[in-house]
């Protein structure tokens, strides 16, 4: 998937080996000086063509006009979001590169239901950047951004021991090594925490493969020192599978949750880490470190196994806290027919989950991310303190919780009247905002909470002594986060996050993004600018603060190729953890060894026998 031609501005580069040992003050000055040179330039990096609206055709019904970027030249275009054949589509026309049409949301019915929950947040009172360009060319953030960050991503390295074809980036493909020093990372962490009135509590350490960094434990400690209370480690799990001490060490250093890739239960749907996951999970168990499984869902590739992925999560619910599905973001250029083979949207995945769980998890069990905003509003009104509020675009993500009871899957919506409860919290928040005594409101909550919970349909372990109602009261009235943790340990979180690409790109979604990256020049950039327009954000900034391969190898005394993983399949499939984790889901004895090898090799991971 080829990248677009780079502009002259992208060639700006700092000799990183000369600044890697500098302190935070010096790095801060260099980063701020570099920022202006890295900023997208009108007429050079993009053009603006907003006067032409794309045509609507017979059988199509307009939902709204929005703005989008051209997949070929990044230029700003007017786009139409419209209904056709029960689905939602987006269309735009570039004067230079023609018309682009893409599936936006696989169900009109679900789209209409979800958009009722849209809430615009307050954004940030302190902006990193002045408004000097239209969105999405002013990312950094500016005052037009309508959500504050819920999660900060920080890239620790673009090196990886794998080279997955659908990955956003990795070092071999980039042609350089991006690996910020400890003091540079401290500067980036501080930039992320500048926001007001809500400072992001959570950070995800990502890559590349972050476990390749030998100073990972130091990085985790620095993140804690700089005020992050929830630290996630995003990994393919390969090193966790072979180094049992690593899981213990990262937990002791401060990691709260591991986000681990997991694309399916068979070697054919998950050649990335199918064989290693059982060993990684066992090591995480010993460390008592919870994990969220993260499947990238591709239509022709693993959509057929989304139900089994959930089943796998439930079978390992002692350590698996959630499954966060990510419908594929199509990076680079790809013809329409090829995109159709891969494209899958949130409704498509949800419908397949309903089919593959025999209706145990249904379409109506899922809620869009901003639906939970009333919880934050209520807590904020009760405490008088600004709260983290999830106000991402309604089409960006969906979620639910499920419980397992005697082999039956029970979604939370079976025993909690979600909409009624959210409406109630909104009304109570309004009363508090108008000055009603908070103790009277809390008493009202205690008395009425039972109305929203049907204990007869709840999982057995939550019925005893009205455990669930008591748990909810402690969470919402007393802000008892140990009770929130207890709720999570009893449930399996199911999430769905569809990051954009340039084909389905919608500026209205970018402006509401609450998952942000901190760039090496200190800008805070929404996920769907950072990764979706990489030649203006991710790649440009990382290349500017990078080592050449030769420089990195000379400094470290290592070879980049030494990171590349080689798989010993015979040893892995013969182990007890492998059989224990997969024997209930697939017929492991029916898969010939040669098929295991072929699956691994086709994915680009060589096989050894030692």
């Amino acid at each position: 998937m080829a990248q677009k031609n780079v502009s002259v501005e992208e060639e700006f580069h700092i000799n990183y080996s000369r600044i890697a040992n500098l302190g935070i003050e010096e790095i801060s000055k260099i980063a701020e000086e570099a920022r202006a040179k890295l900023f997208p330039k009108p007429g050079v990096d993009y053009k603006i063509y907003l006067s032409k609206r794309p045509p609507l055709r017979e059988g199509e019904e307009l939902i709204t006009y929005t703005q989008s970027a051209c997949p070929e030249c990044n230029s700003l275009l007017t786009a139409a979001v419209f209904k056709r054949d029960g689905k939602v589509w987006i269309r735009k026309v570039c004067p230079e590169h023609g018309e682009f049409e893409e599936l936006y949301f696989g169900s009109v019915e679900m789209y209409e239901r979800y958009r009722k929950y849209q809430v615009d947040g307050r954004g940030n009172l302190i902006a990193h950047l002045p408004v000097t360009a239209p969105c999405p060319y002013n990312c950094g953030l500016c005052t037009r951004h309508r959500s504050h960050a819920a999660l900060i991503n920080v890239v620790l390295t673009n090196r990886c021991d794998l080279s997955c074809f659908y990955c956003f980036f990795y070092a071999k493909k980039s042609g350089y090594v991006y690996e910020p020093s400890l003091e540079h990372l401290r500067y980036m962490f501080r930039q992320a925490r500048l926001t007001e009135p809500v400072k992001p509590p959570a950070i995800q350490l990502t890559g590349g493969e972050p476990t390749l960094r030998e100073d990972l434990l130091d990085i985790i400690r620095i993140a804690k020192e700089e005020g992050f209370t929830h630290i996630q480690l995003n990994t393919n799990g390969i090193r966790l599978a072979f180094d049992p001490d690593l899981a213990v060490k990262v937990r002791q250093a401060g990691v709260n949750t591991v986000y681990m890739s997991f694309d399916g239960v068979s070697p054919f749907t998950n050649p990335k880490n199918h064989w290693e996951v059982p060993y990684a999970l066992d090591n995480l168990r010993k460390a008592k470190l919870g994990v969220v499984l993260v499947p990238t869902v591709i239509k022709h590739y693993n959509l057929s196994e989304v139900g089994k992925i959930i089943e796998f999560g439930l079978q390992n619910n002692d350590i698996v806290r959630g499954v966060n599905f990510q419908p594929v973001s199509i990076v680079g250029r790809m013809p329409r027919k090829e995109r159709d083979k891969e494209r899958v949207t949130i409704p498509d995945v949800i419908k397949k989950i309903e089919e593959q769980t025999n209706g145990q998890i249904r379409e109506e069990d899922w809620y869009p991310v901003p639906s939970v905003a009333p919880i934050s509003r209520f807590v904020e009104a009760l405490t008088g303190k600004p709260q983290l509020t999830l106000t991402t675009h309604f089409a960006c993500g969906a979620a639910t919780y499920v419980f397992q009871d005697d082999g039956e899957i029970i979604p939370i919506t079976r025993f909690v009247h979600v909409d009624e409860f959210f409406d109630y919290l909104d009304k109570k928040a309004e009363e508090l905002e108008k000055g009603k005594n908070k103790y009277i409101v809390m008493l009202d909550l205690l008395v009425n909470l039972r109305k929203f919970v049907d204990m007869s349909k709840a999982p057995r372990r939550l019925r005893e002594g009205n455990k669930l109602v008591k748990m909810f009261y402690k969470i919402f009235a007393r802000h008892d986060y140990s009770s929130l943790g207890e709720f999570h340990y009893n449930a399996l979180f199911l999430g769905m996050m569809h990051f954009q690409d340039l084909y389905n790109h919608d500026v209205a979604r970018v402006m509401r993004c609450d998952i942000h990256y901190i760039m090496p020049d200190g800008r805070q950039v929404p996920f769907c600018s950072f990764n979706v327009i990489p030649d203006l954000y991710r790649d440009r900034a990382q290349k500017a603060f990078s080592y050449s391969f030769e420089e990195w190898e000379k400094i470290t005394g290592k070879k980049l190729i030494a990171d590349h993983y080689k798989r010993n399949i015979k040893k892995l499939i013969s182990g007890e953890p492998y059989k224990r984790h997969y024997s209930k889901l697939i017929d492991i004895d029916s898969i010939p060894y040669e098929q295991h090898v072929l699956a691994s090799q086709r994915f680009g991971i060589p096989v050894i026998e030692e």
Side-chain angles (χ1 to χ4, degrees):
M1 301 178 190
Q3 294 288 325
K4 292 181 286 297
N5 292 330
V6 297
S7 72
V8 174
E9 295 294 329
E10 192 175 359
E11 297 305 318
F12 170 75
H13 185 261
I14 292 168
N15 187 335
Y16 199 73
S17 60
R18 292 184 179 178
I19 73 166
N21 294 320
L22 295 179
I24 188 170
E25 297 299 328
E26 292 86 352
I27 286 179
S28 173
K29 292 177 183 177
I30 292 169
E32 290 172 11
E33 289 172 2
R35 194 176 302 159
K37 297 177 181 178
L38 295 170
F39 205 72
K41 301 295 189 296
V44 178
D45 296 311
Y46 65 92
K47 299 175 185 176
I48 299 175
Y49 299 113
L50 295 179
S51 60
K52 183 176 178 61
R53 287 183 168 181
L56 288 178
R57 302 184 175 102
E58 186 177 351
E60 298 175 348
E61 180 185 345
L62 180 70
I63 296 174
T64 188
Y65 286 109
T66 186
Q67 293 176 2
S68 183
C70 173
E72 295 288 335
C73 65
N74 293 330
S75 290
L76 189 63
L77 311 173
T78 296
V81 179
F82 60 93
K83 305 174 186 178
R84 187 181 69 213
D85 301 328
K87 299 179 181 181
V88 178
W89 304 81
I90 188 168
R91 178 184 295 138
K92 52 200 171 185
V93 179
C94 176
E96 297 181 39
H97 299 101
E99 180 178 292
F100 298 90
E101 179 184 288
E102 192 67 23
L103 182 65
Y104 185 98
F105 213 67
S107 165
V108 167
E109 183 180 356
M110 201 180 300
Y111 179 93
E112 295 292 1
R113 177 188 160 220
Y114 280 17
R115 73 167 165 171
K116 294 176 184 176
Y117 294 95
Q118 186 65 66
V119 178
D120 280 345
R122 62 167 65 90
N124 294 317
L125 298 181
I126 298 176
H128 287 63
L129 291 175
V131 177
T132 59
C135 185
Y137 312 108
N138 203 84
C139 291
L141 291 164
C142 78
T143 53
R144 287 177 304 202
H145 203 78
R146 297 182 182 177
S147 298
H148 48 250
L151 175 67
I152 293 293
N153 282 328
V154 176
V155 177
L156 304 189
T157 178
N158 67 341
R159 290 187 296 131
C160 190
D161 41 10
L162 305 180
S163 51
C164 309
F165 70 90
Y166 52 77
C167 182
F168 285 114
F169 65 100
Y170 51 90
K172 184 179 177 182
K173 184 176 179 180
S174 301
Y176 52 83
V177 175
Y178 170 74
E179 209 152 277
S181 67
L182 293 179
E183 285 298 282
H184 196 164
L185 286 168
R186 188 184 292 276
Y187 161 73
M188 293 160 70
F189 295 160
R190 288 186 182 177
Q191 287 291 112
R193 297 279 295 171
L194 286 177
T195 55
E196 295 292 350
V198 179
K199 295 187 182 297
I203 189 169
Q204 184 169 114
L205 305 177
T206 186
E209 175 49 50
T211 62
L212 293 182
R213 286 204 56 155
E214 294 179 357
D215 54 0
L216 176 61
L217 302 181
D218 294 324
I219 295 169
I220 296 166
R221 294 187 190 103
I222 291 171
K224 295 289 282 189
E225 291 169 5
E226 294 302 323
F228 290 99
T229 56
H230 185 84
I231 299 179
Q232 302 172 1
L233 179 64
N234 188 8
T235 176
N236 58 34
I238 302 293
R239 296 212 162 193
L240 286 170
F242 297 108
D243 185 355
D245 292 335
L246 179 59
V248 174
K249 289 176 180 177
V250 296
R251 178 172 175 78
Q252 290 175 344
V255 167
N256 301 90
T257 307
V258 167
Y259 267 57
M260 185 167 68
S261 304
F262 185 75
D263 292 341
V265 300
S266 74
F268 312 109
T269 54
N270 186 23
K272 178 196 294 184
N273 61 359
H274 164 79
W275 300 269
E276 295 79 14
V277 162
Y279 300 90
L281 288 180
D282 274 357
N283 287 336
L284 290 166
R285 281 188 176 93
K286 292 171 187 173
K288 298 181 180 179
L289 180 55
V291 60
V292 173
L293 303 177
V294 186
T296 299
V297 184
I298 305 173
K299 184 164 68 175
H300 77 283
Y301 193 66
N302 61 346
L303 185 58
S304 60
E305 282 195 3
V306 290
K308 284 189 175 181
I309 291 172
I310 292 173
E311 190 177 347
F312 182 87
L314 287 167
Q315 287 182 8
N316 296 281
N317 201 192
D318 62 312
I319 197 66
V320 175
R321 304 287 175 242
V323 180
N324 199 0
F325 295 96
Q326 295 182 358
V328 67
S329 173
I330 297 173
V331 296
R333 296 171 179 167
M334 184 182 288
R336 173 69 184 272
K337 288 184 179 180
E338 292 300 312
R339 300 200 305 273
D340 288 345
K341 292 178 184 177
E342 295 195 0
R343 175 69 71 201
V344 64
T345 69
I346 288 171
D348 307 319
V349 180
I350 287 175
K351 288 177 180 178
K352 285 298 180 183
I353 288 173
E354 180 168 348
E355 290 175 16
Q356 293 171 25
T357 61
N358 297 316
Q360 292 184 90
I361 306 172
R362 298 196 292 263
E363 181 179 317
E364 59 266 28
D365 296 321
W366 297 80
Y367 280 73
V369 174
S371 65
V372 298
I375 298 174
S376 299
R377 182 186 178 191
F378 174 77
V379 174
E380 186 167 309
L382 190 64
T383 62
K385 298 177 181 178
Q387 298 294 310
L388 175 69
T389 307
L390 303 180
T391 56
T392 185
H393 192 278
F394 66 88
C396 289
T400 189
Y401 283 94
V402 298
F403 299 78
Q404 193 169 222
D405 201 36
D406 293 332
E408 181 186 2
I409 301 174
I410 306 176
I412 192 171
T413 51
R414 297 290 188 277
F415 55 91
V416 175
H417 307 304
V418 176
D419 282 312
E420 292 88 340
F421 182 52
F422 287 164
D423 286 344
Y424 172 81
L425 288 179
D426 245 343
K427 290 174 184 175
K428 295 296 114 178
E430 186 175 357
E431 290 175 3
L432 288 164
E433 289 163 357
K434 291 180 177 179
K436 190 168 184 177
N437 187 290
K438 69 177 181 180
Y439 296 105
I440 294 175
V441 173
M442 288 172 66
L443 180 61
D444 188 274
L445 176 65
L446 180 61
V447 170
N448 286 288
L449 199 51
R450 291 174 178 81
K451 295 179 181 178
F452 306 109
V453 182
D454 185 345
M455 292 304 296
S456 67
K457 296 180 180 179
R460 186 178 298 122
R461 65 182 180 276
L462 297 180
R463 293 181 214 158
E464 300 169 1
N466 280 324
K467 182 178 180 180
L468 182 64
V469 174
K470 292 176 181 177
M471 199 184 298
F472 278 176
Y473 182 75
K474 290 179 181 177
I475 292 170
F476 296 115
R478 298 184 181 176
H479 331 303
D480 181 350
Y481 293 105
S482 64
S483 295
L484 183 61
E486 185 181 1
F487 175 80
H488 279 284
Y489 288 136
N490 277 279
L492 181 71
F493 170 79
L494 298 180
M496 197 84 57
M497 185 59 67
H498 192 177
F499 297 113
Q500 297 185 86
D501 50 59
L502 280 176
Y503 295 101
N504 60 17
H505 184 258
D506 181 357
V507 167
R509 286 182 58 186
V510 176
M511 292 175 73
R512 292 167 174 83
C513 179
D514 63 9
I515 302 177
H516 301 163
Y517 278 84
I518 289 296
M519 303 250 281
D521 62 13
R523 282 177 289 165
Q524 182 174 315
V525 176
F527 189 107
C528 287
S529 290
F530 183 84
N531 283 315
V532 173
I533 319 178
D535 41 330
L536 301 190
Y537 292 106
R538 184 195 70 212
D539 295 352
R540 173 175 296 186
Q542 292 184 355
K543 185 176 182 180
F545 290 85
S546 68
Y547 302 98
S548 69
F549 290 166
E550 294 77 13
E551 286 176 318
W552 185 87
E553 289 181 343
K554 183 177 180 180
I555 291 168
T556 62
K558 297 188 295 185
K559 293 290 184 182
L560 274 170
I561 197 171
D563 290 332
H564 201 68
Y565 177 55
K566 298 179 179 66
R567 176 173 282 141
N568 188 331
I569 288 179
K570 276 190 176 176
K571 185 176 181 180
L572 291 166
I573 62 176
S574 63
E576 184 274 336
Y578 180 85
K579 297 173 183 177
R580 170 165 38 90
H581 282 83
Y582 289 127
S583 60
K584 293 180 181 179
L585 291 167
I586 59 174
D587 185 356
I588 57 178
D589 295 325
S590 69
I591 305 173
Y593 170 69
E594 291 75 19
Q595 291 297 316
H596 282 278
V597 172
L598 190 59
S600 181
Q601 290 176 338
R602 280 177 175 170
F603 196 72
I605 302 175
V607 176
I608 58 171
E609 294 182 16
E610 294 178 352

